[in-house]
Amino acid sequence: MSLASQPLTTQSTKPHAQYPHKYSVAPMMDWTTSECRQFHRLLTKKALLYTEMVTTGALIHGNTERFLRFSAAQEHPVALQLGGHDAHDLAHCAQLAQDYGYDEVNLNAGCPSDRVQNGMIGAILMAHAQLVSDALKAMSDRVDLPITIKHRIGIDDFDSYAFLRDFVGTVAQSGCTTFIVHARKAILKGLSPKQNRDVPPLDYQRVIQLKRDFPELHIVINGGIKDHGLAQDLLDQGVDGVMVGREAYQNPLLLLEVDKLFYQSADPYDTPEALNEVLIDWIRLKVASGTPLKYLARHMLGLYSGQAGSRKFRRHLSETMHPIEAPPDIFETALAFIKPIGFRGLQEYSE
């Protein structure tokens, strides 16, 4: 591992155009599938949605259509997250993303798992800033899409602010202007990916300092954001956007207020009944077109989490959605267990 010998500074303090994605839902392996993103899009029209990470090897040597398929009618804006390090391969996959109609391509430099480290994918890339910069430049030269990066605030013992600042400074020389920063360092040996999401402490102030030191870059903050109050507080401190992961997945009703609070758009639904009607129609349409119910319902188990009947709702779906021929009526039956009074004050209602 090497560090730049001198602190890097930016060439200009003139900000780029205002970053359009104040709120995004993080890429999450096995979770943010196309079906999940379509569900989330029914809750928020504005938030930027991300795919699971897809490796360059899977796209180049595997079933490209399976990995890149998405619903153009339902998912935009949607970003493809890539895992890889080879500039040529990443540029080729960025071209595929553009051909398929994605709105952004993001490089994963934050995943800490042993498996991806061995392929020079994920957080290990933070030890190779120039390699990352060269790869991002190759991607930008190949396509017209925004090319972004998601990374940590450090890795292992390389966790000083100077290390983070120099990494961003080197990578920014590629022309990349959007940095999504998980405000925890990654411990590459000794912690599991799950532990790496919780054990290293959050340090939001380092990410906020990045924005102060690189005012011309778009800095998006990720990690531990569980409510809109914290999200807005972080935006008020200067970052350009917030990225929410597990909370948005496990408590999807969080997304219902995103458009109003962060994009000054109207709430999408006036009542839970109006939302339920849309969800029922969507599930019926998807099942009729050949998507098994379990591929849809597994992402919806957290719907109405914390409200009266939510446990029975989850149990009914969990126990009945798995047969390949499971009918869409199962979801409607599960909804009958929920007795919501309204969207406001949801936390007041419990089982």
Side-chain angles (χ1 to χ4, degrees), residues 102-210:
Y102 283 90
D103 299 291
E104 174 188 306
V105 182
N106 176 265
L107 177 63
N108 184 322
C111 180
S113 80
D114 290 340
R115 183 169 57 87
V116 300
Q117 284 181 55
N118 294 334
M120 273 288 286
I121 296 170
I124 190 67
L125 290 177
M126 291 195 72
H128 306 277
Q130 191 58 54
L131 177 71
V132 173
S133 184
D134 293 343
L136 292 173
K137 187 176 188 308
M139 296 163 73
S140 295
D141 288 346
R142 183 72 172 265
V143 300
D144 298 324
L145 296 178
I147 303 298
T148 69
I149 183 170
K150 186 174 188 292
H151 59 91
R152 298 287 186 123
I153 58 173
I155 51 173
D156 294 333
D157 294 332
F158 295 95
D159 61 353
S160 68
Y161 179 72
F163 172 80
L164 175 62
R165 178 199 60 207
D166 290 356
F167 175 80
V168 171
T170 297
V171 173
Q173 293 175 351
S174 70
C176 178
T177 61
T178 300
F179 291 73
I180 302 162
V181 189
H182 186 157
R184 287 186 176 93
K185 76 172 183 177
I187 298 175
L188 301 183
K189 299 296 182 182
L191 290 186
S192 68
K194 182 180 185 300
Q195 290 171 318
N196 263 295
R197 293 193 295 267
D198 297 302
V199 174
L202 287 162
D203 192 340
Y204 292 142
Q205 291 307 310
R206 286 196 182 185
V207 185
I208 291 166
Q209 186 62 45
L210 270 183

Side-chain angles (χ1 to χ4, degrees), residues 328-342:
D329 293 352
I330 286 173
F331 179 73
E332 191 169 0
T333 301
L335 280 176
F337 290 111
I338 303 293
K339 306 299 181 186
I341 296 176

Side-chain angles (χ1 to χ4, degrees), residues 255-314:
L255 299 176
L256 274 179
E257 292 187 316
V258 164
D259 293 0
K260 178 181 180 180
L261 294 178
F262 300 100
Y263 296 92
Q264 291 72 57
S265 296
D267 284 344
Y269 308 100
D270 294 329
T271 65
E273 290 76 18
L275 169 62
N276 291 345
E277 182 177 346
V278 169
L279 295 177
I280 290 168
D281 288 346
W282 174 65
I283 284 183
R284 289 188 179 279
L285 180 64
K286 295 296 292 183
V287 171
S289 66
T291 302
L293 176 65
K294 63 181 178 180
Y295 293 155
L296 309 169
R298 75 182 184 94
H299 302 296
M300 307 173 78
L301 296 175
L303 189 65
Y304 294 122
S305 179
Q307 293 198 63
S310 61
R311 289 181 184 174
K312 293 179 180 179
F313 168 83
R314 280 195 308 275

